[in-house]
Amino acid sequence: MKNFFLNSVLGPCFLMLAASSCTAEITKAEICEDEPLIIGLSIDSDATKSYLDSNGTSVRWCEGDEIALWAESGSNYSLEAQRFCLYGSTADKGVFTSRLSEAMTPGSYTYYVTYPYPESFSSSNAVFNIPSVQHGKAAGGEDIMLSSPQSYTELLPLSQTDGYVSMKVGMNHLMHAFRFFLPYGEDSFGTEGVQKIELEFPRNVVGKLSLDVTDFDSAILTEGSNRITLELDEPLTVSGLSSRIYAYALFFPTQFTEGEALKVKLYSKSGVSVLDPIDLQARFFAPGHATSVKLEPQGVSELYSIEFRIASNNLGEDVGTVTLTAPEGCDWGSGSNVYTISSQTAFKAGDSFVVEMENEAAYRSLSNATITVTYDSEHVISQEILTIPDTSSGTSADVSLNVPWLLFEDFSGVESFSSNDNYTTSSAGSKNAVSFLDGWTGGRIGASKGESIRIACRRETSSDYNARVDSKPVFTIKKAVSIDVSFDYGANNKYGGISIITNGDVGQTLHLGYVTSTEAYKSGDESGVFQNGNSFYIKEYTGSYTNLPNSITMTIDDFPAGSTNRITWRTVIEHQAGTHNTTAWFYIDNVKVRVSANN
């Protein structure tokens, strides 16, 4: 094991709490609350912000930062984790603002401030997340800070102050920082530099940090992990002492014992290096300190990779987790044919992730493999099937992912059939359903090969006969959700018989709903949930398998959890007394179902 440690102390941060008016020079950001009374928090020092400078000792604020403030009076809190958002900045200050529902009672208070805003809190107890995936700059809330207690009067609204009435609050770092660097001579990665660093500690060092904001020493780590991955925003390259370039890893202050070591892997886009274990020297790595760690790659091995990019998303919501399942015998580099990746912020269209393999045989095993991609979002578990490119040679490949519709059908694969859907002089009764397209069923239904389908409700003298079609099950719904159902449609009819007073030229009403069973419902079965507003009357004469001139989107609310939910179209003939008979056709094509934006 090697020892590459140098020590330094993270400089303190100072917040200047202020009730102030904002000048035109301040660049505005969005204010984060929606209540009437605005108070401000002004940061007057350029050394008081939320990501680490290249020197590793001072800290800077950045866009999107939020802090929490507690105001204690006696044993009560008039403010508990009041959220302050970065409002804007000038060359020499930043301003945070918050909105209160009512003014603070005049008097003396003890204030406590945390950065970032906690994940949860109860009274003075707060919980923060120390992420296992970081980006090398101690930004985005990775460097958790707590202020020293500060006595001050009530905070006044900005409109009631003249200039700045400031309260200086010292912020103390709760984390320890490792700052990694590549010295001159360690240029094994060339111009690519190091793009990712994987750290494995002998103890848990990241997870949930809980503390009482009134007691700096109360911080404890729970739900921990011993691994940190630095996905660097900028590659780490070699640098000299006078212009050192660092990549930072923030972790909970920890006491290590004799013989415990840190394992490190370095990655570029095309190579990987496993370093000798770094001796942790039985040290306590204290809060508010930074330790420099020299990296010495011991040769670089070839790295094999497949980049997956989300080219489109038709589901209606972003995806949190993606699982790739390859056939038995394939290997994603971990010894398993299953690979799962999650995103803390959800995968959006255009996002990508890379599966890296140090083992060439694993990469080759995936060549031309047909895989199942499972997308797990807030409300839905959906899937698509795709084929990996030829990986029998080369070191990298690219794959496009397309998050599918909750249900999509253009009937391009349907075969022609006819089941009680043609016009005849007599076709009474509720007709049995037929099955087609791997899960669709319908009664009084027909289809034209590769074109569309139709359902045919019926009128005969004194009786009306409905028609229906039920889709195959949509993808699995995890919890109730509103969905949008879009489709093209057309209508037509044919009538005859003895026309006395009326001739049978009638329309029909379409009802859209859902069922939760895979049963093949007969044409006259009225089973299902059909909500108000999801129906309409139509009488047209131009509809056909190849002419569906209308399009519509309907929203179904509270679409339930389950794996057998199906969309239902049901048509009801317009009643008209007489000795005539009528068949009314409703044509359906290009069905698209997605999660509604109104959730």
Side-chain angles (χ1 to χ4, degrees):
M1 292 186 291
K2 295 189 177 181
N3 172 13
F4 295 132
F5 292 140
L6 299 171
N7 296 318
S8 62
V9 179
L10 292 175
C13 288
F14 295 99
L15 300 182
M16 304 300 291
L17 259 67
S20 63
S21 59
C22 296
T23 66
E25 289 78 12
I26 292 177
T27 303
K28 292 175 63 177
E30 183 178 359
I31 295 176
C32 60
E33 301 289 339
D34 191 22
E35 290 151 345
L37 195 68
I38 303 176
I39 61 174
L41 182 156
S42 172
I43 300 132
D44 289 342
S45 171
D46 191 45
T48 324
K49 306 187 180 181
S50 73
Y51 66 89
L52 288 173
D53 273 337
S54 59
N55 62 20
T57 59
S58 59
V59 184
R60 296 181 180 276
W61 296 107
C62 55
E63 185 176 353
D65 278 339
E66 295 179 345
I67 59 176
L69 179 140
W70 281 257
E72 181 184 22
S73 179
S75 59
N76 299 316
Y77 289 93
S78 60
L79 296 178
E80 289 185 6
Q82 181 68 30
R83 188 189 302 267
F84 281 76
C85 299
L86 184 66
Y87 178 76
S89 61
T90 63
D92 60 352
K93 68 172 60 69
V95 174
F96 283 69
T97 60
S98 186
R99 294 176 184 256
L100 304 184
S101 57
E102 59 183 9
M104 295 180 68
T105 302
S108 178
Y109 294 86
T110 301
Y111 290 94
Y112 306 91
V113 179
T114 68
Y115 172 82
Y117 193 84
E119 284 192 343
S120 62
F121 67 93
S122 176
S123 186
S124 63
N125 298 306
V127 178
F128 302 85
N129 181 55
I130 310 172
S132 59
V133 178
Q134 303 178 18
H135 299 282
K137 289 189 175 180
E142 296 163 4
D143 185 15
I144 301 170
M145 292 184 283
L146 171 65
S147 74
S148 301
Q150 178 65 46
S151 296
Y152 197 66
T153 62
E154 76 278 6
L155 298 179
L156 298 176
L158 296 179
S159 60
Q160 296 181 18
T161 62
D162 182 16
Y164 294 96
V165 181
S166 298
M167 177 179 71
K168 187 174 183 179
V169 178
M171 298 293 288
N172 305 300
H173 300 268
L174 287 162
M175 298 293 97
H176 190 94
F178 275 178
R179 50 181 191 175
F180 297 96
F181 67 95
L182 286 167
Y184 282 129
E186 300 298 341
D187 54 357
S188 304
F189 290 97
T191 57
E192 282 189 353
V194 174
Q195 299 184 346
K196 184 174 74 171
I197 303 175
E198 289 184 351
L199 308 173
E200 182 180 347
F201 289 80
R203 298 172 181 267
N204 291 344
V205 292
V206 293
K208 301 299 182 183
L209 183 151
S210 302
L211 83 158
D212 183 334
V213 300
T214 67
D215 181 3
F216 182 87
D217 295 326
S218 68
I220 60 172
L221 181 68
T222 62
E223 300 178 30
S225 170
N226 68 328
R227 295 175 182 268
I228 298 176
T229 299
L230 301 182
E231 296 180 349
L232 303 182
D233 292 333
E234 299 175 1
L236 181 64
T237 55
V238 297
S239 60
L241 185 60
S242 62
S243 56
R244 190 70 81 200
I245 300 173
Y246 294 107
Y248 299 94
L250 276 294
F251 62 94
F252 188 79
T254 304
Q255 174 69 62
F256 296 99
T257 59
E258 192 70 33
E260 290 186 323
L262 174 67
K263 297 178 181 178
V264 181
K265 278 187 180 181
L266 308 180
Y267 294 85
S268 68
K269 187 174 183 179
S270 60
V272 58
S273 178
V274 180
L275 275 61
D276 289 338
I278 297 175
D279 187 3
L280 294 170
Q281 305 171 14
R283 282 179 51 185
F284 174 62
F285 291 94
H289 288 250
T291 301
S292 297
V293 183
K294 181 170 61 176
L295 300 174
E296 292 185 343
Q298 304 299 307
V300 178
S301 302
E302 196 82 65
L303 185 65
Y304 303 86
S305 63
I306 302 177
E307 181 174 7
F308 292 84
R309 182 173 300 278
I310 299 180
S312 65
N313 185 343
N314 292 312
L315 184 60
E317 63 183 16
D318 295 328
V319 172
T321 300
V322 180
T323 299
L324 311 174
T325 304
E328 292 292 337
C330 293
D331 181 4
W332 292 106
S334 61
S336 174
N337 66 319
V338 178
Y339 178 88
T340 298
I341 184 170
S342 298
S343 171
Q344 294 179 337
T345 58
F347 293 108
K348 299 176 174 58
D351 289 348
S352 63
F353 61 90
V354 178
V355 181
E356 296 172 331
M357 288 156 271
E358 299 172 34
N359 186 336
E360 179 180 359
Y363 179 74
R364 306 293 181 220
S365 75
L366 294 162
S367 185
N368 298 310
T370 298
I371 69 168
T372 300
V373 184
T374 302
Y375 303 99
D376 193 336
S377 61
E378 180 181 358
H379 296 95
V380 181
I381 298 175
S382 57
Q383 291 184 333
E384 73 165 329
I385 307 297
L386 54 81
T387 301
I388 297 293
D390 183 357
T391 60
S392 61
S393 61
T395 60
S396 64
D398 300 301
V399 177
S400 292
L401 302 178
N402 296 281
V403 184
W405 299 89
L406 192 55
L407 173 71
F408 174 82
E409 187 55 69
D410 62 3
F411 301 105
S412 58
V414 76
E415 296 292 333
S416 295
F417 67 87
S418 178
S419 178
N420 301 293
D421 65 314
N422 290 324
Y423 172 78
T424 63
T425 57
S426 178
S427 179
S430 181
K431 302 300 184 181
N432 288 332
V434 295
S435 299
F436 61 101
L437 287 180
D438 192 27
W440 286 72
T441 64
R444 293 186 178 271
I445 188 170
S448 177
K449 181 177 180 178
E451 298 290 351
S452 63
I453 63 171
R454 71 181 184 184
I455 49 179
C457 55
R458 175 80 178 165
R459 167 84 186 113
E460 290 188 13
T461 307
S462 60
S463 299
D464 300 330
Y465 304 110
N466 300 337
R468 71 181 290 155
V469 60
D470 300 277
S471 74
K472 69 179 182 181
V474 305
F475 286 119
T476 298
I477 304 297
K478 296 163 57 178
K479 61 181 180 180
V481 63
S482 295
I483 63 171
D484 292 336
V485 182
S486 303
F487 56 94
D488 297 339
Y489 68 95
N492 211 330
N493 69 13
K494 187 173 182 179
Y495 49 92
I498 301 173
S499 298
I500 301 174
I501 302 176
T502 58
N503 62 7
D505 181 12
V506 296
Q508 58 188 310
T509 298
L510 181 281
H511 298 271
L512 181 80
Y514 67 88
V515 293
T516 59
S517 168
T518 57
E519 179 182 343
Y521 295 95
K522 298 176 71 172
S523 64
D525 196 320
E526 297 183 0
S527 298
V529 177
F530 300 91
Q531 297 170 355
N532 291 336
N534 285 342
S535 63
F536 60 86
Y537 172 84
I538 185 171
K539 183 167 73 170
E540 293 181 354
Y541 309 99
T542 60
S544 70
Y545 283 123
T546 58
N547 185 47
L548 295 82
N550 309 300
S551 298
I552 194 170
T553 298
M554 293 180 170
T555 298
I556 299 176
D557 294 320
D558 296 317
F559 194 67
S563 59
T564 57
N565 297 342
R566 305 160 71 196
I567 308 300
T568 300
W569 293 258
R570 189 166 61 85
T571 54
V572 177
I573 196 75
E574 180 182 4
H575 182 77
Q576 187 183 84
T579 55
H580 50 266
N581 51 72
T582 307
T583 297
W585 293 289
F586 191 86
Y587 295 86
I588 303 170
D589 197 7
N590 295 323
V591 176
K592 300 174 182 178
V593 183
R594 69 187 305 169
V595 173
S596 175
N598 296 324
N599 284 288

